């Protein structure tokens, strides 16, 4: 079968799947459906909330490492609908869903505007688009056939019968018929609302069905008719001005009824234009509105708007949710991978490339702290343990966050980084990007595009010093791992031996030799050779050895698996020990231009390990080895 025939077969299958019979009936038929399933008459907030929840929900709790380190063990809800699309945004998404849940329960927030506030490129627009996609996936709704605002059929039920209806069906009817349907009811159906035709319609962003969008408007052309419709001038010669048939209900609130109305860069509009959202969002005296109002803007516009005391009425109707930049560089990397995956790029990305770019982005977004330096703060925000003088540095992430306000609302945007990635690829002759090339691209971009001299100097310091040193540390460990045969096995062996000797030292007992089975004294020289790697000297060794012994015993008591990576300080000491043990030989082998046969064999094995185990290709491995030769061992 040819490709064309295969595709045409898929087309026919798709067409068949779409041939579902839509409901057509009267109010009486609709009531029968409602009796079996009252949920078909839910309001917009509840419909949207349920649709997002239908994809599943999980909770990060104390059993999750990331929850413990980044959220102080407080449970965090993760909504599956947003997973894979938005990273490091758990708290803002929780607030968005809390708003929808409260509004779904018809609380005060059902009459409020949800404002997403954040810097450029933080994902506000993408989040709104994703929420609108959830609405499109909802089941079709039942509407009064021919109604310009696709209103709920229950609006046909007279007010005098609504209490009885609520008692019998358990549904409270909100809203009244629009003027157009009221006119049709009287003139086309002789007031017999039971015979009014009811049909089904779906939601569509492109079709403007249940989704209204309000872009920033020119102050000279702003008109509330763009929001709530107006009289159709062409019909005024046919009908009186107060005749409903002269109305053109095509405003954003009319289009977005029973769905979503989005205000893009909302505060770029004049205040008089925005008053349409109050006293109840979008509800006018004659036309009922049931919908979710989503607005988004940047911080500068928000600060300007809220500084005007005359805007208090609108401010009181707003629920603000900050959408900051990601402050976890590992989550930031996931954003880059998602964006690259959407492009046509087919290039080799060397290990740590996106990591270096993400570290720079996060460093630019952090505010200075009196407790830690920027790189340490970045690592803590990433959930890493910070080892200092043989101890895990106890810095409460909650204290760091409370030290400053609105962190993540300034700094380098994701778009800025993606442009640097594009530039690095464009300059590459080998269709690859490496940490070295991305750092060079970022330096060039900062010099060209950052206008403020202070910001430019601040960012370049991160790129040329802090990140340079951080990457060299990563690279040295990686080359060592590639150079050392069976690195993990050697690390585990050092770990086991250290534990045996440290435990014997603390308990004042003998060590059982693993080969001869003889009892012997704890090897003080061996213990010190490990401890000195992280600056443990003198009397500090006693506390260090006691801490490790009690820590490992506690993990064993909880039936937790332990290995050489389990305890941060000891892990760093073992890594440093292995690095120092092969530093000289790796320097010689890496830098040497004329290697003997033994050195060639070691060098080739190291390159092969970098390619097979760590994800480099031949060109990127060659580039990072050359970079290591020129930067790691300059003074050797």
């Amino acid at each position: 079968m040819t490709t064309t025939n295969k595709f045409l077969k898929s087309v026919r299958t798709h067409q068949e799947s779409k041939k579902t019979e839509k409901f057509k009936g009267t109010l009486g038929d609709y009531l029968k459906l409602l009796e079996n399933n009252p949920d078909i008459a839910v309001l917009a907030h509840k419909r949207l909330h349920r649709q997002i929840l239908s994809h599943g929900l999980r909770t990060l709790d104390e059993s999750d490492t990331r929850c413990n380190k980044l959220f102080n063990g407080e449970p965090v809800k993760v909504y599956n609908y947003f997973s894979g699309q938005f990273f490091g945004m758990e708290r803002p998404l929780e607030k968005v869903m809390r708003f929808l849940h409260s509004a779904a329960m018809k609380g005060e927030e059902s009459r409020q505007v949800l404002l997403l506030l954040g810097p450029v490129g933080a994902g506000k627009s993408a989040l709104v688009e994703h929420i609108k996609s959830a609405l499109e996936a909802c089941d079709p709704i039942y509407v009064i056939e021919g109604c310009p605002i696709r209103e709920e059929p229950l609006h046909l039920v007279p007010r005098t019968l609504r209490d009885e209806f609520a008692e019998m069906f358990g549904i409270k009817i909100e809203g009244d018929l629009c003027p157009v349907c009221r006119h049709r009811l009287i003139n086309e159906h002789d007031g017999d609302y039971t015979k009014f035709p009811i049909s089904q319609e779906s939601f569509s962003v492109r079709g403007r069905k249940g989704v209204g969008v309000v872009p920033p408007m020119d102050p000279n052309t702003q008109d509330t008719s763009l929001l709530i419709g107006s009289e159709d001038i062409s019909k005024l010669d046919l009908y009186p001005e107060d005749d409903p048939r002269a109305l053109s209900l095509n405003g954003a609130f009319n289009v977005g009824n029973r769905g979503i109305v989005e205000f893009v860069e909302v505060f770029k509009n004049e205040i008089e234009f925005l008053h349409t959202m109050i006293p109840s969002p979008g509800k006018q005296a004659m036309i009922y509105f049931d919908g979710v109002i989503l607005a988004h803007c940047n911080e500068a516009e928000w600060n300007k708007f809220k500084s005007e005391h005359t805007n208090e009425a609108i401010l009181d109707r707003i629920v603000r949710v900050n959408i900051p930049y990601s402050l976890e560089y590992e989550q930031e990397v996931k954003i880059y991978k998602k964006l690259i995956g959407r492009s046509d790029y087919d290039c080799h990305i060397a290990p740590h490339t996106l990591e270096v770019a993400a570290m720079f982005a996060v460093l630019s977004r952090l505010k200075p702290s009196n407790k830690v330096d920027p790189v340490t703060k970045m690592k803590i925000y990433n959930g890493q343990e910070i080892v200092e003088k043989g101890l895990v540095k106890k810095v409460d992430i909650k204290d760091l966050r409370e030290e400053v306000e609105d962190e993540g609302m300034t700094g380098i945007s994701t778009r800025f980084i993606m442009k640097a990635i594009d530039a690095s690829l464009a300059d590459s002759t080998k269709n690859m990007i490496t940490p070295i090339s991305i750092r060079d691209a970022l330096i060039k971009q900062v010099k060209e595009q950052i206008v403020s001299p202070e910001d430019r100097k601040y960012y370049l310091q991160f790129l040329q010093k802090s990140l340079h040193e951080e990457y060299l540390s990563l690279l040295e460990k990686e080359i060592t791992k590639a150079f050392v045969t069976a690195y993990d096995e050697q690390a585990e062996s050092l770990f086991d031996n250290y534990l045996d000797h440290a435990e014997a030292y603390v308990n004042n007992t003998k060590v059982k030799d693993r080969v001869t089975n003889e009892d012997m004294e704890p090897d003080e020289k061996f213990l010190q050779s490990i401890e000195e790697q992280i600056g443990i000297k003198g009397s500090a060794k006693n506390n260090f050895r006691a801490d490790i012994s009690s820590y490992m015993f506690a993990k064993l008591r909880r039936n937790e698996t332990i290995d050489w990576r389990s305890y941060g300080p000891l892990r760093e000491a073992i890594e440093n020990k292995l690095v120092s043990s092969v530093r000289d030989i790796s320097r010689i082998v890496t830098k040497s231009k004329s290697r003997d046969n033994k050195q060639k064999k070691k060098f080739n094995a190291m390159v092969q390990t970098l390619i097979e185990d760590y994800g480099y290709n031949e060109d990127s491995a060659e580039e990072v080895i050359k970079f290591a030769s020129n930067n790691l061992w300059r003074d050797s």
Side-chain angles (χ1 to χ4, degrees):
M1 186 182 288
T2 65
T3 301
T4 300
N5 287 336
K6 284 181 180 178
F7 179 70
L8 289 175
K9 184 179 179 181
S10 298
V11 169
R12 287 190 291 272
T13 303
H14 179 262
Q15 288 174 334
E16 289 297 322
S17 68
K18 292 293 181 181
K19 287 181 180 179
T20 54
E21 192 173 339
K22 289 187 177 181
F23 171 86
K24 274 190 176 293
T26 62
L27 179 62
D29 299 319
Y30 176 63
L31 292 179
K32 290 175 184 177
L33 294 177
L34 204 59
E35 187 176 355
N36 294 324
N37 182 15
D39 286 345
I40 62 177
V42 296
L43 299 181
H45 290 93
K46 181 173 283 191
R47 182 183 299 109
L48 183 59
H49 183 253
R50 283 182 174 175
Q51 180 62 28
I52 294 174
L53 275 184
S54 69
H55 291 263
L57 165 69
R58 58 192 175 90
T59 303
L60 300 182
D61 54 27
E62 292 181 353
S63 62
D64 186 278
T65 304
R66 187 162 169 260
C67 179
N68 277 328
K69 291 181 177 179
L70 301 179
F71 303 108
N72 284 346
E74 297 174 6
V76 181
K77 292 178 181 177
V78 178
Y79 297 87
N80 294 344
Y81 181 68
F82 299 108
S83 298
Q85 295 294 322
F86 301 93
F87 305 98
M89 286 177 62
E90 289 85 0
R91 287 304 190 202
L93 290 173
E94 262 192 335
K95 292 176 182 177
V96 169
M97 292 303 292
R98 187 184 302 136
F99 167 85
L100 287 177
H101 182 241
S102 174
M105 296 296 104
K106 301 182 183 179
E108 175 58 31
E109 292 187 351
S110 64
R111 296 174 289 278
Q112 300 271 311
V113 177
L114 177 62
L115 173 68
L116 304 181
L117 174 68
V120 294
K124 304 182 299 296
S125 298
L127 178 55
V128 172
E129 290 303 316
H130 199 57
I131 291 173
K132 289 193 293 191
S133 295
L135 184 68
E136 284 190 303
C138 288
D139 292 332
I141 56 173
Y142 295 85
V143 304
I144 296 176
E145 190 171 290
C147 176
I149 63 172
R150 309 191 327 151
E151 63 185 312
E152 166 61 51
L154 292 180
H155 289 182
L156 290 162
V157 178
R159 282 192 171 272
T160 53
L161 292 176
R162 290 187 179 185
D163 287 342
E164 184 180 352
F165 178 87
E167 188 176 333
M168 296 175 70
F169 284 83
I171 300 171
K172 183 181 178 182
I173 301 173
E174 294 193 16
D176 293 301
L177 277 178
C178 74
V180 175
C181 289
R182 182 174 295 280
H183 183 275
R184 287 176 58 204
L185 174 62
I186 296 170
N187 293 279
E188 295 178 19
H189 300 285
D190 295 325
D192 189 351
Y193 50 87
T194 62
K195 293 181 180 178
F196 214 113
I198 308 298
S199 61
Q200 267 186 313
E201 286 194 25
S202 57
F203 292 96
S204 172
V205 174
R206 287 173 294 179
R208 296 190 80 216
K209 294 181 179 180
V211 182
V213 179
V214 184
M217 303 299 297
D218 186 328
N220 297 319
T221 60
Q222 279 182 4
D223 189 334
T224 56
S225 64
L226 295 168
L227 302 179
I228 58 174
S230 62
E231 290 84 10
D232 187 340
I233 298 175
S234 66
K235 293 180 180 178
L236 290 180
D237 59 341
L238 300 174
Y239 311 114
E241 191 174 328
D242 60 349
D243 193 310
R245 289 172 293 180
L247 288 174
S248 178
L249 299 180
N250 59 358
F253 282 114
N254 309 134
V255 171
N257 187 44
R258 305 188 71 187
I260 291 173
V261 175
E262 174 193 4
F263 279 80
V264 182
E265 302 297 341
V266 59
F267 297 124
K268 285 184 178 177
N269 294 299
E270 293 293 316
I271 182 63
E272 291 78 9
F273 187 68
L274 297 180
H275 271 292
T276 309
M277 295 189 292
I278 57 174
S280 294
K283 293 180 182 177
Q284 305 304 310
M286 295 175 62
I287 302 175
Y288 174 81
F289 172 73
D290 165 34
V292 181
I293 301 180
L294 290 178
H296 49 95
C297 72
N298 299 327
E299 195 169 16
E301 296 157 5
W302 164 253
N303 289 335
K304 181 181 177 182
F305 182 82
K306 72 176 182 178
S307 65
E308 295 288 338
H309 72 276
T310 54
N311 297 336
E312 290 177 355
I314 293 180
L315 288 170
D316 193 46
R317 304 286 188 212
I318 287 174
V319 174
R320 188 190 77 181
V321 175
N322 282 1
I323 308 292
Y325 291 129
S326 174
L327 296 179
E328 295 174 64
Y329 70 78
E330 287 182 356
Q331 298 298 314
E332 182 79 4
V333 166
K334 292 178 182 179
I335 299 174
Y336 304 157
K337 287 181 177 178
K338 178 188 75 172
L339 296 174
I340 292 171
R342 291 176 178 175
S343 70
D344 290 337
Y345 286 126
D346 183 20
C347 63
H348 170 70
I349 301 177
H352 308 302
T353 302
L354 301 183
E355 193 176 352
V356 166
M359 285 181 175
F360 168 61
V362 170
L363 282 171
S364 75
R365 299 165 184 172
L366 297 177
K367 293 186 177 180
S369 169
N370 295 323
K371 296 178 171 64
V372 291
D373 63 87
V375 173
T376 299
K377 186 175 184 179
M378 174 193 72
K379 291 180 179 179
I380 292 172
Y381 275 21
N382 197 53
Q384 294 172 236
E385 289 183 335
I386 306 301
V387 178
E388 192 174 278
K389 295 181 180 179
L391 297 172
V392 175
K393 192 168 184 177
K394 299 295 182 183
V395 180
D396 192 336
I397 193 170
K398 189 175 181 180
D399 289 343
L400 288 179
R401 286 174 174 157
E402 290 177 351
E403 192 179 13
V404 293
E405 290 184 4
D406 294 338
E407 198 165 33
M409 301 295 279
T410 58
I412 292 295
S413 72
T414 301
R415 292 190 192 122
F416 186 98
I417 301 296
M418 292 307 299
K419 285 190 283 187
I421 291 173
D422 291 350
S424 183
L425 279 170
D427 293 339
S428 172
T429 57
K430 298 178 179 178
N431 196 34
M432 70 173 188
I433 49 176
T434 66
I436 298 99
S437 65
I438 195 63
R439 192 175 72 97
D440 291 343
L442 285 167
I443 289 172
K444 183 178 179 182
Q445 192 158 308
V446 165
K447 289 179 177 179
E448 291 176 352
Q449 296 192 22
I450 301 301
V451 177
S452 166
E454 289 183 5
D455 288 345
R456 193 185 310 124
K457 181 180 178 181
Y458 187 61
Y459 295 157
L460 288 174
Q461 183 181 2
F462 286 140
L463 287 165
Q464 295 172 335
K465 188 175 186 299
S466 304
L467 277 179
H468 179 71
E469 293 171 357
E470 189 65 25
Y471 176 60
L472 284 178
S473 176
L474 282 171
L475 184 59
E476 184 172 32
K477 287 178 181 177
E478 193 155 76
I479 288 178
T480 299
K481 289 179 180 179
F483 190 84
V484 176
T485 305
Y487 181 91
D488 278 335
E489 286 84 346
Q490 290 200 37
E492 196 66 38
S493 176
L494 284 174
F495 173 75
D496 290 338
N497 283 334
Y498 182 89
L499 279 190
D500 288 344
H501 288 265
E503 185 180 10
Y505 175 87
V506 170
N507 297 325
N508 198 24
T509 58
K510 304 280 187 180
V511 177
K512 185 81 68 176
D513 190 284
R514 292 173 182 262
V515 179
T516 64
N517 214 30
E518 294 179 10
D519 289 335
M520 58 183 183
E521 294 292 329
D523 189 338
E524 185 63 29
K525 284 187 176 180
F526 168 71
L527 291 171
Q528 287 180 3
S529 72
I530 300 291
E531 293 158 356
E532 66 186 10
Q533 301 297 328
I534 50 175
I536 300 296
K537 296 179 181 178
S539 59
K541 67 183 182 182
N542 296 329
N543 289 335
F544 183 72
R545 294 170 189 177
D547 287 345
I548 287 178
S549 297
S550 60
Y551 178 84
M552 295 303 173
F553 178 73
K555 288 184 75 72
L556 287 171
R557 191 175 56 201
R558 294 193 297 268
N559 294 320
E560 295 179 18
T561 304
I562 60 170
D563 61 17
W564 71 275
R565 299 178 184 85
S566 298
Y567 187 66
L570 186 54
R571 180 190 67 235
E572 182 163 317
I574 289 172
E575 285 179 338
N576 292 346
K577 174 72 173 175
L578 287 171
V579 168
S580 64
S581 68
V582 298
R583 181 176 283 126
D584 288 341
I585 186 65
S586 61
R587 172 180 59 80
I588 293 169
V589 169
T590 305
K591 293 192 73 170
S592 178
K593 293 182 180 179
S594 55
R595 303 180 183 93
D596 58 31
N597 289 335
K598 186 177 180 181
Q599 289 173 342
K600 282 181 181 178
K601 187 176 179 181
K602 283 183 174 294
F603 181 82
N604 292 336
M606 178 187 67
V607 172
Q608 202 61 30
T609 300
L610 287 173
I611 294 171
E612 292 178 359
D613 295 350
Y614 294 101
Y616 292 88
N617 65 9
E618 289 187 14
D619 291 328
S620 62
E622 180 183 344
E623 184 170 316
V624 299
I625 290 170
K626 183 178 179 181
F627 183 78
S629 299
N630 294 334
N631 291 273
L632 275 174
W633 305 295
R634 279 183 175 178
D635 56 345
S636 302

mmCIF file of all heavy atoms in Angstrom, residues 27 62 129 220 470 549:
data_model
loop_
_atom_site.group_PDB
_atom_site.id
_atom_site.type_symbol
_atom_site.label_atom_id
_atom_site.label_comp_id
_atom_site.label_asym_id
_atom_site.label_seq_id
_atom_site.Cartn_x
_atom_site.Cartn_y
_atom_site.Cartn_z
ATOM 1 N N LEU A 27 -36.897 21.479 24.898
ATOM 2 C CA LEU A 27 -36.549 21.604 26.312
ATOM 3 C C LEU A 27 -36.962 20.347 27.085
ATOM 4 O O LEU A 27 -36.233 19.889 27.967
ATOM 5 C CB LEU A 27 -37.228 22.840 26.902
ATOM 6 C CG LEU A 27 -36.966 23.074 28.401
ATOM 7 C CD1 LEU A 27 -35.487 23.311 28.669
ATOM 8 C CD2 LEU A 27 -37.802 24.245 28.918
ATOM 9 N N GLU A 62 6.141 13.585 51.698
ATOM 10 C CA GLU A 62 7.435 13.433 52.364
ATOM 11 C C GLU A 62 8.268 12.288 51.803
ATOM 12 O O GLU A 62 9.485 12.254 51.974
ATOM 13 C CB GLU A 62 7.217 13.224 53.866
ATOM 14 C CG GLU A 62 6.674 14.465 54.569
ATOM 15 C CD GLU A 62 6.488 14.250 56.055
ATOM 16 O OE1 GLU A 62 6.648 13.106 56.513
ATOM 17 O OE2 GLU A 62 6.185 15.223 56.762
ATOM 18 N N GLU A 129 -3.057 29.045 26.673
ATOM 19 C CA GLU A 129 -3.378 28.233 25.493
ATOM 20 C C GLU A 129 -3.645 26.789 25.885
ATOM 21 O O GLU A 129 -4.540 26.139 25.338
ATOM 22 C CB GLU A 129 -2.223 28.303 24.484
ATOM 23 C CG GLU A 129 -2.060 29.642 23.790
ATOM 24 C CD GLU A 129 -3.316 30.081 23.047
ATOM 25 O OE1 GLU A 129 -3.923 29.233 22.349
ATOM 26 O OE2 GLU A 129 -3.708 31.258 23.187
ATOM 27 N N ASN A 220 -7.503 54.945 20.953
ATOM 28 C CA ASN A 220 -8.363 55.746 20.074
ATOM 29 C C ASN A 220 -9.493 54.929 19.454
ATOM 30 O O ASN A 220 -10.467 55.491 18.943
ATOM 31 C CB ASN A 220 -7.530 56.377 18.958
ATOM 32 C CG ASN A 220 -6.496 57.350 19.513
ATOM 33 O OD1 ASN A 220 -6.790 58.106 20.430
ATOM 34 N ND2 ASN A 220 -5.286 57.310 18.975
ATOM 35 N N GLU A 470 32.462 26.267 37.678
ATOM 36 C CA GLU A 470 31.523 25.177 37.944
ATOM 37 C C GLU A 470 31.611 24.107 36.859
ATOM 38 O O GLU A 470 31.599 22.907 37.153
ATOM 39 C CB GLU A 470 30.098 25.738 38.024
ATOM 40 C CG GLU A 470 29.056 24.735 38.501
ATOM 41 C CD GLU A 470 29.268 24.281 39.928
ATOM 42 O OE1 GLU A 470 29.877 25.011 40.732
ATOM 43 O OE2 GLU A 470 28.839 23.147 40.243
ATOM 44 N N SER A 549 28.602 7.181 60.910
ATOM 45 C CA SER A 549 28.176 5.888 61.471
ATOM 46 C C SER A 549 26.713 5.928 61.898
ATOM 47 O O SER A 549 25.936 5.010 61.599
ATOM 48 C CB SER A 549 29.060 5.516 62.665
ATOM 49 O OG SER A 549 30.395 5.347 62.246
#
